[in-house]
Amino acid sequence: MTFKLEGRVLEGTLVRLEPLERRHAADLAVAAQEDRGTYAYTWVPGDDEVADYIDAQLARAATGRLAPYAQISLATGRAVGATSYWEPRSWLSDDRLDAIEVGFTWLARSAQGTGVNAEAKLLLCRHAFEEWGVSRVDLKTDARNSRSRAAIESIGARFEGVLRNWSRSWAPGEEDRLRDSAIYSITAEEWPECRSRLEARVARKSAQAAGETVR
């Protein structure tokens, strides 16, 4: 494949996605140590593991299969989580991208529900569909993770099924086990409706953050 997966800075009104670098380590260590009760099926590094986590993501990036990002809250200027493009696929032509996954996503507890995740998905999907011209964006999660599945479904992604024993489990204590993965996608034909839904949600969250009355 001649298409080269490279992330560039993507900025909205609530979040800026910056290519992940070691300079983000201190902020991510703080973010990861907030209330960890929502991370049941997602592996999030502890404060003493962030440096190794970043090195591992950069090593994956060097293979051309991952473009990792730090999620920067525009309200604070600090990194509050991470996300990535993952598994680029080209089927029709080596010099174009046909499909890609958005994954490796986690957010500090204080950033959840603020619109940061919705806007990050908007920025990543918009770039994938409108700049790269992909035909589909994949999203997947542990089939047991009802919270993550509800969040994916809320942006308009379509459930395609559960692949059994599909990948390693990231749940604590299950390092030697495989998990069932719930697979979702957004296609190019579905993107305009999903984009409108995400833009409306981000607008509501932005208004709330600014203290405006939301009708």
Side-chain angles (χ1 to χ4, degrees), residues 70-215:
Q71 302 195 63
I72 311 298
S73 166
L74 294 181
T76 66
R78 299 180 65 88
V80 293
T83 192
S84 296
Y85 285 121
W86 173 235
E87 294 284 20
R89 281 109 64 204
S90 292
W91 294 307
L92 300 179
S93 171
D94 285 345
D95 61 359
R96 61 160 286 155
L97 187 65
D98 293 309
I100 198 161
E101 181 177 333
V102 170
F104 282 100
T105 300
W106 63 271
L107 277 175
R109 181 65 185 89
S110 61
Q112 296 173 22
T114 64
V116 166
N117 180 60
E119 188 167 49
K121 294 295 191 295
L122 172 62
L123 295 171
L124 291 165
C125 289
R126 186 171 64 194
H127 187 71
F129 283 115
E130 299 177 19
E131 299 297 326
W132 288 336
V134 301
S135 294
R136 64 177 277 150
V137 168
D138 304 337
L139 303 102
K140 69 174 184 283
T141 188
D142 192 306
R144 300 168 293 178
N145 193 341
S146 57
R147 181 188 182 97
S148 177
R149 292 180 66 168
I152 293 171
E153 290 167 2
S154 72
I155 69 173
R158 182 171 298 184
F159 175 58
E160 295 187 329
V162 173
L163 298 180
R164 298 175 298 168
N165 292 342
W166 179 249
S167 63
R168 64 167 294 182
S169 173
W170 296 101
E174 295 185 358
E175 292 78 6
D176 59 346
R177 292 180 55 185
L178 297 176
R179 76 175 195 189
D180 295 347
S181 292
I183 308 299
Y184 294 81
S185 71
I186 302 169
T187 66
E189 294 77 15
E190 296 161 348
W191 169 237
E193 180 180 349
C194 291
R195 175 175 175 164
S196 295
R197 185 181 301 196
L198 283 166
E199 288 175 337
R201 181 184 301 179
V202 171
R204 289 195 299 270
K205 293 296 184 179
S206 295
Q208 290 171 0
E212 300 173 9
T213 300
V214 179
R215 297 183 182 276

